């Protein structure tokens, strides 16, 4: 049956590049805070249920990984510095990285904030060939952004992405067509797109552990084990058959937000009370992209970690806040709340640039408050349970501008002091004072000073960009953390 799948016509040169920033969030923190260079850094939520968004290589050496609970990460690497994410800074650095690609070609396909494909087929390699092109690209990205990146190149997206992974950290790997088998075949099958834990377990049962093992399986065996679509895809991938072009634009498919609560929500009333805050955070993201949505999906994760989603579709795309909130409420009504709830999410999809005007006949929607996606902003009772505090369940957006208050003092936030200059919050102390390290990329490592925000003029300020200039306020609640 394998003859039913024909080989596509592939490029003859390794002209597809995949550029990937290394430990991106943590690398930006180390670039801007000299005292963190060479030290383990964790970026993520600081609350009881916070998770690691990024870990520096120094932290990874201690066994820390992205998506690990922050509590587990701190146990594995107690010496790590923990900071909340600053997406304004990361976005500015991302623009510089993408600019290095766009200097060379218009065919750039961003995959996320820190990685992208580029079609360099129009490039004319010099004496160093394609490896020289890859090195020049990496050096230019580092020059513009000041953070480490890795570059992989091959004649397909598949090989280019695997090559950039092999190049980490801060390296270059170019796989020529004649070298593809030597590169691909020894790889673990888990390294391939489309092979997750379930697929890997099924493949393990038929003796498939490497790409070479996978290539040795007939098509009918793979479709029987994995299904028609997945089996056919892996049959092709095992042979390096990937003729997908680099898409110059990627359409945004959804805008959403979710929040993990510091204690579980009990009963429909508690869950419903928090829904407007999450819906409003999702709406803020939708609004920033200037679009409208037709489908509203509510995600509920229970205390036992089972997850349920329910969706409501509108007659036409809309950007009307009240209409989208009302649809979210209807979607939540479809969820059977049989257990306490630990996470609530809202996503708007079916996006369109055009919205049909919808009249607000029900009046304004009251909002429960903004959302702190860092998992660190909820007030709790002295025993940490939040049981006696009516606001313990209310997500709170950390302020990013104005005078620093103790409750705003999340580690990693940018501040300015009239005498000491710019710095960043290291930690809020139990005595009501705040430890601040005064330094920037331009100053070199700075000293840490403990200040009382009640008496000292400590101002929350915007992050600095790669050029050292302060970034404008992005605005919108919940920009404090992911």
């Amino acid at each position: 049956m394998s003859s039913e799948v024909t080989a596509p016509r592939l490029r003859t040169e390794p002209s597809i590049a995949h550029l990937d920033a290394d430990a991106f969030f943590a690398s930006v923190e180390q670039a801007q805070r000299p005292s963190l260079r060479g030290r383990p850094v964790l970026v993520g939520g600081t609350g009881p249920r916070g998770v690691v968004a990024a870990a520096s290589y120094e932290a990874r050496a201690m066994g820390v990984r992205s998506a690990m609970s922050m509590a587990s990460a701190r146990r594995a690497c107690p010496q790590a510095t923990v900071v909340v994410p600053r997406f304004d800074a990361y976005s500015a650095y991302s623009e510089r990285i993408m600019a290095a690609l766009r200097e060379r070609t218009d065919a750039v396909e961003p995959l996320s904030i820190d990685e992208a494909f580029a079609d360099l087929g129009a490039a004319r390699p010099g004496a160093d060939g394609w490896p020289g092109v890859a090195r020049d690209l990496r050096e230019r990205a580092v020059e513009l952004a000041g953070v480490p990146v890795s570059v992989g190149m091959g004649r397909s997206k598949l090989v280019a992405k695997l090559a950039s992974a092999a190049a980490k950290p801060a390296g270059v790997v170019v796989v020529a067509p004649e070298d593809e088998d030597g590169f691909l075949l020894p790889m673990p099958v888990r390294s391939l797109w489309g092979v997750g834990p379930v697929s890997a377990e099924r493949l393990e049962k038929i003796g498939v552990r490497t790409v070479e093992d996978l290539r040795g399986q007939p098509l009918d065996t793979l479709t029987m084990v994995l299904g028609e679509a997945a089996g056919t895809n892996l049959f092709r991938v095992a042979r390096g058959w990937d003729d997908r072009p680099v898409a110059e634009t990627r359409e945004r498919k959804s805008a959403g937000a979710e929040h993990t609560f510091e204690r579980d929500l009990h009963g429909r009333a508690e869950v419903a009370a928090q829904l407007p805050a999450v819906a409003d955070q999702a709406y803020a993201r939708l609004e920033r992209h200037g679009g409208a949505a037709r489908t509203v999906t509510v995600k509920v994760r229970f205390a036992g970690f089972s997850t349920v989603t329910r969706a409501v579709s509108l007659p036409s795309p809309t950007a009307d806040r009240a209409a989208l909130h009302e649809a979210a409420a209807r979607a939540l009504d479809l969820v059977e709340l049989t257990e306490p709830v630990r996470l609530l999410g809202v996503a708007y999809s079916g996006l369109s640039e055009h919205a049909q005007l919808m009249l607000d006949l029900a009046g304004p929607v009251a909002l429960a408050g903004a959302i702190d996606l860092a998992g660190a902003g909820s007030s709790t009772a002295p025993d940490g349970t939040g049981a006696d505090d009516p606001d313990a369940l209310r997500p709170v957006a950390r302020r990013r501008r104005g005078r620093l208050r103790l409750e705003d003092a999340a580690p990693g936030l940018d501040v300015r002091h009239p005498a000491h200059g710019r710095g960043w919050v290291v930690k809020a102390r139990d005595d009501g004072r705040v430890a601040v390290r005064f330094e920037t990329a331009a100053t070199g490592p700075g000293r840490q000073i403990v200040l009382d925000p009640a008496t000292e003029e400590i101002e929350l300020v915007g992050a600095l960009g790669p050029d050292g200039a302060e970034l404008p306020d992005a605005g919108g609640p919940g920009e404090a953390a992911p």
Side-chain angles (χ1 to χ4, degrees):
M1 291 182 62
S2 61
S3 61
E4 297 177 8
V5 180
T6 58
R9 183 177 180 179
L10 299 175
R11 295 169 181 245
T12 58
E13 299 287 343
S15 57
I16 299 294
H18 181 260
L19 185 152
D20 194 0
D22 302 329
F24 181 51
F25 295 174
S27 293
V28 171
E29 299 299 337
Q30 290 176 322
Q32 293 203 334
R33 281 83 188 259
S35 63
L36 298 181
R37 295 171 190 169
R39 300 176 60 84
V41 176
L42 305 178
V43 181
T46 57
R49 290 181 172 176
V51 297
V52 177
S56 68
Y57 280 95
E58 296 83 0
R60 294 183 189 187
M62 303 296 291
V64 179
R65 295 292 181 269
S66 297
M68 178 184 286
S69 76
M70 188 61 77
S72 297
R74 282 173 154 167
R75 286 193 294 270
C77 189
Q79 69 272 38
T81 298
V82 179
V83 296
V84 297
R86 301 177 302 136
F87 283 103
D88 48 354
Y90 307 152
S91 295
Y93 278 75
S94 174
E95 289 177 4
R96 291 293 190 94
I97 291 171
M98 300 303 168
L101 292 169
R102 292 193 170 98
E103 286 179 351
R104 287 155 173 76
T105 177
D106 291 331
V108 175
E109 180 182 348
L111 299 180
S112 66
I113 194 172
D114 62 348
E115 61 173 321
F117 286 115
D119 184 344
L120 301 180
R124 299 185 182 276
D128 293 333
W130 289 105
V133 173
R135 285 193 296 270
D136 289 346
L137 174 59
R138 191 193 72 81
E139 290 169 5
R140 179 58 172 161
V142 172
E143 178 186 0
L144 289 177
V147 295
V149 303
S150 297
V151 174
M153 294 190 69
R155 61 174 174 171
S156 67
K157 286 182 173 180
L158 166 70
V159 172
K161 192 168 189 349
L162 291 171
S164 71
K168 287 182 173 291
V172 165
V173 170
V174 177
V175 181
E178 62 270 21
D179 298 328
E180 275 189 10
D181 282 357
F183 177 70
L184 286 174
L185 293 180
M187 284 191 167
V189 72
R190 281 293 303 271
S191 63
L192 298 178
W193 284 341
V195 181
V198 175
S199 298
E201 184 178 353
R202 291 175 180 174
L203 291 169
E204 174 79 23
K205 290 179 180 178
I206 61 171
V208 173
R209 298 177 182 85
T210 67
V211 177
E212 185 171 15
D213 296 335
L214 182 65
R215 188 180 291 187
Q217 297 297 320
L219 176 60
D220 55 355
T221 298
L222 294 177
T223 56
M224 180 179 63
V225 172
L226 301 171
E228 186 72 27
T232 302
N233 177 62
L234 287 184
F235 182 87
R236 294 170 60 88
V237 166
R239 288 155 177 78
W241 294 353
D242 178 15
D243 59 349
R244 293 170 301 155
V246 172
E248 294 184 24
T249 59
R250 286 173 55 88
E251 182 180 354
R252 187 176 180 88
K253 295 181 179 179
S254 66
E258 56 186 43
H259 179 71
T260 300
F261 297 93
E262 291 193 0
R263 74 172 178 86
D264 295 336
L265 308 182
H266 294 266
R268 185 168 295 277
E270 282 193 351
V271 178
Q274 302 311 310
L275 182 66
V278 185
D280 198 47
Q281 173 65 18
Y283 181 82
R285 292 179 176 175
L286 176 68
E287 200 172 34
R288 283 200 296 275
H289 291 281
R294 184 172 182 269
T295 300
V296 181
T297 302
V298 166
K299 173 181 175 181
V300 175
R301 179 166 296 152
F302 297 106
F305 285 89
S306 62
T307 303
V308 173
T309 60
R310 294 290 183 268
V312 168
S313 292
L314 300 169
S316 60
T318 181
D320 183 79
R321 183 194 302 258
L324 293 170
H325 277 230
E326 193 273 335
R330 284 193 284 139
L332 179 61
D333 287 342
L334 300 175
V335 179
E336 187 176 354
L337 299 175
T338 56
E339 301 176 46
V341 171
R342 63 177 278 117
L343 177 146
L344 186 62
V346 173
Y348 301 128
S349 58
L351 304 189
S352 170
E353 294 181 358
H354 307 287
Q356 178 175 319
L357 179 64
M358 298 183 69
L359 297 178
D360 180 9
L361 301 178
V365 177
L367 301 181
I371 182 170
D372 170 25
L373 293 169
S378 301
S379 302
T380 57
D383 64 358
T385 65
D388 297 324
D389 187 339
D391 288 329
L393 300 176
R394 185 182 301 279
V396 177
R398 290 201 184 279
R399 294 163 60 250
R400 291 286 178 134
R401 295 294 191 277
R403 183 162 179 167
L404 178 70
R405 304 175 308 197
L406 184 63
E407 58 266 32
D408 301 320
L413 292 187
D414 294 275
V415 296
R416 181 187 294 117
H417 186 276
H420 304 298
R422 285 192 67 105
W424 56 279
V425 174
V426 177
K427 65 178 295 185
R429 294 163 45 110
D430 293 338
D431 62 5
R433 296 186 296 167
V434 176
V436 179
R437 188 172 295 279
F438 291 96
E439 62 181 1
T440 67
T443 66
R447 60 176 182 150
Q448 180 172 304
I449 302 175
V450 177
L451 302 169
D452 185 351
T455 59
E456 297 275 357
E457 293 184 13
I458 311 170
E459 181 187 3
L460 286 164
V461 294
L464 299 179
D467 59 358
E470 184 170 326
L471 299 170
D473 186 1
E479 280 295 297

Coordinates of all heavy atoms in Angstrom, one line a residue, residues 2 33 39 50 70 105 184 236 277 322 325-326 332-333 335 346 405 407 450 468 473:
S2 N 2.1 1.1 0.4 CA 3.0 2.3 0.4 C 3.1 3.0 -0.9 O 3.4 4.2 -1.0 CB 4.4 2.0 1.0 OG 5.0 1.1 0.1
R33 N 19.0 42.3 32.8 CA 19.4 42.3 34.2 C 20.7 41.6 34.4 O 20.8 40.4 34.5 CB 18.4 41.6 35.1 CG 17.1 42.4 35.4 CD 16.1 42.4 34.3 NE 15.0 43.3 34.5 CZ 13.8 42.9 35.0 NH1 13.5 41.7 35.3 NH2 12.8 43.9 35.2
R39 N 23.2 32.7 35.7 CA 22.5 32.2 36.9 C 21.2 31.6 36.5 O 20.6 32.0 35.4 CB 22.2 33.3 37.9 CG 23.5 33.9 38.4 CD 23.2 35.1 39.4 NE 22.4 34.7 40.5 CZ 22.9 34.1 41.6 NH1 24.3 34.0 41.7 NH2 22.2 33.8 42.6
G50 N 1.3 28.6 40.2 CA 2.0 29.1 39.1 C 2.8 28.0 38.4 O 3.1 27.0 38.9
M70 N 5.6 25.8 39.3 CA 6.7 26.6 39.9 C 7.2 26.0 41.2 O 8.4 26.1 41.6 CB 6.2 28.0 40.0 CG 7.3 29.0 40.5 SD 8.6 29.1 39.2 CE 7.9 30.2 38.0
T105 N 14.4 38.3 3.3 CA 13.3 37.8 2.5 C 12.0 38.3 3.0 O 11.9 38.5 4.2 CB 13.3 36.2 2.5 OG1 12.2 35.8 1.7 CG2 13.2 35.7 3.9
L184 N 18.2 12.3 10.0 CA 16.9 11.9 10.4 C 16.8 10.5 11.1 O 16.2 10.3 12.1 CB 15.9 11.9 9.3 CG 15.4 13.3 8.8 CD1 14.6 13.1 7.5 CD2 14.6 14.0 9.9
R236 N 5.1 9.7 5.5 CA 5.7 10.7 4.7 C 6.9 11.4 5.5 O 8.0 11.6 4.9 CB 4.7 11.8 4.2 CG 3.6 11.3 3.3 CD 2.6 12.3 3.1 NE 3.1 13.6 2.6 CZ 3.2 13.8 1.3 NH1 2.8 12.9 0.4 NH2 3.7 15.0 0.9
A277 N -14.5 38.4 34.3 CA -13.1 38.9 34.3 C -12.3 38.2 33.3 O -11.5 38.8 32.6 CB -12.6 38.6 35.7
A322 N -20.5 43.2 25.1 CA -21.7 42.6 25.9 C -22.2 41.3 25.2 O -22.5 40.3 25.9 CB -22.8 43.6 26.0
H325 N -19.7 38.5 26.0 CA -19.9 38.1 27.4 C -21.1 37.3 27.6 O -21.1 36.3 28.3 CB -19.9 39.4 28.3 CG -18.6 39.9 28.6 ND1 -18.2 40.2 29.9 CD2 -17.5 40.3 27.8 CE1 -17.0 40.7 29.9 NE2 -16.5 40.7 28.6
E326 N -22.2 37.7 26.9 CA -23.4 36.9 27.1 C -23.3 35.5 26.5 O -23.8 34.5 27.0 CB -24.6 37.7 26.4 CG -26.0 37.2 26.8 CD -26.4 36.1 25.9 OE1 -25.9 36.0 24.7 OE2 -27.3 35.3 26.3
L332 N -21.0 28.7 29.5 CA -20.8 28.1 30.8 C -22.0 27.4 31.3 O -21.9 26.4 32.0 CB -20.4 29.3 31.8 CG -20.2 28.9 33.2 CD1 -19.0 27.9 33.3 CD2 -19.9 30.1 34.1
D333 N -23.2 27.9 31.0 CA -24.5 27.2 31.4 C -24.5 25.8 30.8 O -25.2 24.9 31.4 CB -25.7 28.0 30.9 CG -25.9 29.2 31.7 OD1 -25.3 29.3 32.8 OD2 -26.6 30.1 31.2
V335 N -22.0 23.7 30.8 CA -21.1 22.9 31.5 C -21.8 22.3 32.8 O -22.3 23.1 33.6 CB -19.8 23.6 31.9 CG1 -18.9 22.8 32.6 CG2 -19.1 24.2 30.6
V346 N -11.7 31.4 28.6 CA -12.6 31.9 27.5 C -11.8 32.1 26.3 O -10.7 32.8 26.3 CB -13.3 33.2 27.9 CG1 -14.2 33.7 26.7 CG2 -14.2 33.0 29.1
R405 N 3.0 49.9 45.0 CA 2.4 49.5 46.2 C 2.9 48.1 46.6 O 3.3 47.3 45.7 CB 0.9 49.4 46.1 CG 0.3 50.8 45.7 CD -1.2 50.7 45.5 NE -1.6 49.6 44.6 CZ -2.8 49.5 44.0 NH1 -3.7 50.4 44.2 NH2 -3.1 48.5 43.2
E407 N 1.3 45.4 47.3 CA 0.6 44.4 46.6 C 0.9 44.2 45.1 O 0.5 43.3 44.5 CB -0.9 44.6 46.8 CG -1.5 45.9 46.3 CD -1.5 46.9 47.4 OE1 -0.7 46.9 48.3 OE2 -2.4 47.8 47.3
V450 N 16.9 47.5 49.9 CA 15.6 47.3 50.5 C 15.0 48.6 50.8 O 15.5 49.4 51.5 CB 15.7 46.4 51.8 CG1 14.3 46.2 52.4 CG2 16.4 45.1 51.4
G468 N 17.4 50.0 24.6 CA 17.6 50.8 25.9 C 16.5 51.8 26.1 O 16.5 52.5 27.2
D473 N 3.3 52.2 27.2 CA 2.4 51.4 28.0 C 1.5 50.6 27.0 O 0.8 51.3 26.2 CB 1.6 52.3 28.9 CG 0.7 51.5 29.8 OD1 0.7 50.2 29.7 OD2 0.0 52.1 30.6

